[in-house]
Amino acid sequence: MSFNSGLGMERSYYVATANPFAPASRLVGELSADVVVIGGGYTGLHSALNAAGRGYSVILLEAGRIGWGASGRNGGQMIPGWRKGAGELISRYGQAQAKLLFGMALEARDLTLARIEQHGIVCDYRASGHLTLAAKGTDIAWMREEAETLARVMDYPHARVLSAEEARAEVDAAGFHGALVDSGGGHLHPLNYALGLADAARSAGVMLHEESRVLRLETERGVVAHTENGVVRARYGVLACDALLGDLEPRSAARIMPVANYLVATEPLADPRALIANDRAVSDSRFVVNYFRLSADGRLIFGGGERYTPAPPADIAAFARRHMVNFFPQFADARIDHAWGGLVSISMTRLPHIGRVGDLFYAHGYSGQGVLLPALAGKVLAEAMSGTAERFDVLAGIAPPEFPGGAMLRSPLHVLGMIWYALRDRL
Ligand SMILES: Cc1cc2nc3c(=O)[nH]c(=O)nc-3n(C[C@H](O)[C@H](O)[C@H](O)COP(=O)(O)OP(=O)(O)OC[C@H]3O[C@@H](n4cnc5c(N)ncnc54)[C@H](O)[C@@H]3O)c2cc1C
């Protein structure tokens, strides 16, 4: 049983429409490599591709199936930047550092698109932009400020604010006060993107092993990863397990917290563009965010509703459908063809935790914005392995603090806080 089993991945729209992928064998016996990567999602795959690109021999160990973590289950929304806006980055780090960080996030987008292009990854990529709907009237003020800061300070002229009427012309939903549109965003089929990266890694010489959960790590000199049937000895390791890290590396565990989130895919719609006119990826400004987009075959893929308890709802489709119908009452009778869930890892600051313990590097905690950022993380970790740590140090410098109460108590305390904010959404 893996930590995210029971969340219906096998019934997801993404598995139903996955490109063919030849399974990788289980690790058996003792192997050595320059780099061992633990985790076969975007972070692990980008790390492996970048390390192989620098001439390292790489073995990647995946506990279950490649891409079956958050990377193959997510909303597929490509949202440029960090989970914190430009204005918040400036208040936290000052203008110069914020600009550097924002530039790195834009590089993440470019790197992602370059990989899709370079490796010919067929993943329904749409360069259609991302829209944040303003759920409260007061959102418009920060949205204006954000668009202005992006243009003036970050030299990013691609965001603008829409009036309530313009937002309504974009999305057929009532009750919104306007929107912030970022034409640099878009969407993709997340599992096919992950599988395409894995095929590219194979072509670059990376040895992939599925069904090979790392049970124990030694990090005193180099990194030794033990699975049930094998061992990999390496000069460097990359820990890329995100919300599924469990207690494999207790020093990191207190900085990230897994939260379950659920999605549904409707039947193909008769007129999908009547719902989302410009095919954008859309989310709203609520604390417990609703997010949705169209699939390539014209379904609504809708995500919303977090649960802070470990057990999934008995009926995932009914749980996620309720959130969809609250948002789009016109879908009260729509058929749901797929329903599934996944674990998102969040950090206290909603910025990722990137760093190293000896020769073990890690990157996790993208806080719901991890479709684009892992391309950057993988590149910067490989740079640091080969001795250029300047950009790695910048990312390590934004490490979030531990959750109050550490790994043991983070859930109950933080969950109380989250429930409070979720309640405020409803009020
Ligand atoms: C429901 C949902 C919706 C989301 N929507 C969006 C979105 O629309 N836009 C966006 O930008 N982000 C979104 N995210 C976040 C994004 O999906 C993640 O940030 C990103 O996929 C993290 O990639 P990763 O490779 O770090 O982790 P994962 O993809 O979770 O990969 C970690 C891998 O490590 C493996 N693993 C764990 N433990 C071990 C072990 N001991 N040994 C070996 N392998 C192990 C797991 O099996 C897993 O395959 C969403 C996440 C979820 C769950």
Side-chain angles (χ1 to χ4, degrees):
M1 287 281 278
S2 80
F3 301 109
N4 57 352
S5 60
L7 295 180
M9 177 61 173
E10 54 299 331
R11 294 187 300 279
S12 70
Y13 169 73
Y14 302 134
V15 166
T17 51
N19 294 332
F21 179 75
S25 65
R26 194 180 291 252
L27 174 74
V28 179
E30 285 206 24
L31 296 177
S32 57
D34 295 324
V35 181
V36 60
V37 175
I38 302 150
Y42 305 145
T43 303
L45 293 165
H46 276 290
S47 301
L49 271 165
N50 280 282
R54 286 175 175 268
Y56 292 120
S57 60
V58 184
I59 297 177
L60 183 150
L61 303 175
E62 163 53 50
R65 294 171 69 173
I66 297 282
W68 278 47
S71 296
R73 301 166 183 245
N74 63 62
Q77 307 218 348
M78 304 163 87
I79 309 170
W82 304 89
R83 188 76 173 81
K84 290 279 176 204
E88 284 176 280
L89 288 181
I90 293 171
S91 357
R92 189 177 278 264
Y93 300 108
Q95 192 158 309
Q97 193 70 358
K99 243 183 128 164
L100 184 65
L101 285 167
F102 187 77
M104 290 175 91
L106 288 188
E107 183 186 341
R109 173 184 176 275
D110 294 345
L111 290 168
T112 304
L113 299 186
R115 286 284 179 202
I116 292 173
E117 165 99 31
Q118 178 191 350
H119 305 297
I121 300 177
V122 178
C123 61
D124 304 334
Y125 165 56
R126 297 284 183 277
S128 50
H130 174 260
L131 193 81
T132 309
L133 291 168
K136 301 191 291 288
T138 49
D139 289 332
I140 296 298
W142 73 253
M143 286 180 170
R144 284 216 178 94
E145 208 173 308
E146 180 71 3
E148 197 268 329
T149 307
L150 284 168
R152 187 177 47 81
V153 183
M154 304 298 180
D155 301 321
Y156 186 80
H158 309 294
R160 69 191 168 88
V161 176
L162 305 183
S163 67
E165 202 181 320
E166 288 169 319
R168 185 73 201 237
E170 289 269 356
V171 180
D172 186 17
F176 291 96
H177 301 265
L180 181 65
V181 62
D182 181 345
S183 60
H187 57 87
L188 49 60
H189 185 304
L191 179 58
N192 283 339
Y193 169 51
L195 297 178
L197 290 175
D199 277 333
R202 269 180 170 148
S203 305
V206 174
M207 277 173 73
L208 304 178
H209 289 287
E210 293 181 296
E211 304 297 338
S212 303
R213 176 178 296 283
V214 173
L215 300 171
R216 187 165 66 81
L217 280 172
E218 292 172 49
T219 56
E220 289 75 39
R221 247 182 79 240
V223 174
V224 186
H226 298 262
T227 67
E228 193 184 357
N229 300 306
V231 178
V232 177
R233 296 177 197 284
R235 171 78 186 86
Y236 296 112
V238 177
L239 196 59
C241 303
D242 201 42
L244 302 166
L245 177 64
D247 53 9
L248 185 61
E249 217 308 302
R251 288 167 289 193
S252 285
R255 311 231 183 198
I256 51 174
M257 190 175 93
V259 173
N261 196 278
Y262 299 92
L263 294 105
V264 284
T266 64
E267 61 192 314
L269 307 178
D271 186 2
R273 292 301 189 94
L275 188 71
I276 307 175
N278 293 313
D279 195 17
R280 303 204 199 267
V282 186
S283 43
D284 70 10
S285 61
R286 292 193 173 92
F287 181 77
V288 179
V289 63
N290 293 294
Y291 55 100
F292 53 90
R293 67 179 177 93
L294 298 173
S295 64
D297 59 356
R299 298 162 192 271
L300 172 66
I301 298 188
F302 187 99
E306 290 177 339
R307 272 171 64 107
Y308 311 117
T309 51
D315 184 343
I316 292 178
F319 176 81
R321 181 202 180 89
R322 186 156 45 83
H323 292 275
M324 181 188 74
V325 173
N326 277 343
F327 200 100
F328 288 119
Q330 66 266 45
F331 283 93
D333 299 323
R335 197 180 76 218
I336 301 294
D337 283 349
H338 304 275
W340 67 99
L343 295 177
V344 191
S345 75
I346 56 164
S347 73
M348 277 288 280
T349 55
R350 306 300 189 258
L351 292 170
H353 182 221
I354 296 176
R356 69 188 289 179
V357 188
D359 294 319
L360 181 67
F361 292 82
Y362 51 79
H364 42 224
Y366 307 99
S367 303
Q369 210 148 306
V371 168
L372 296 177
L373 292 169
L376 173 77
K379 183 169 186 206
V380 172
L381 297 191
E383 281 171 16
M385 280 173 213
S386 45
T388 309
E390 211 176 317
R391 283 149 42 92
F392 172 81
D393 289 343
V394 171
L395 295 184
I398 61 170
E402 291 194 353
F403 279 96
M408 286 288 286
L409 281 178
R410 68 189 159 162
S411 286
L413 291 177
H414 197 70
V415 161
L416 272 178
M418 308 257 288
I419 289 172
W420 162 244
Y421 281 109
L423 249 173
R424 286 208 324 189
D425 273 354
R426 271 182 242 152
L427 300 173

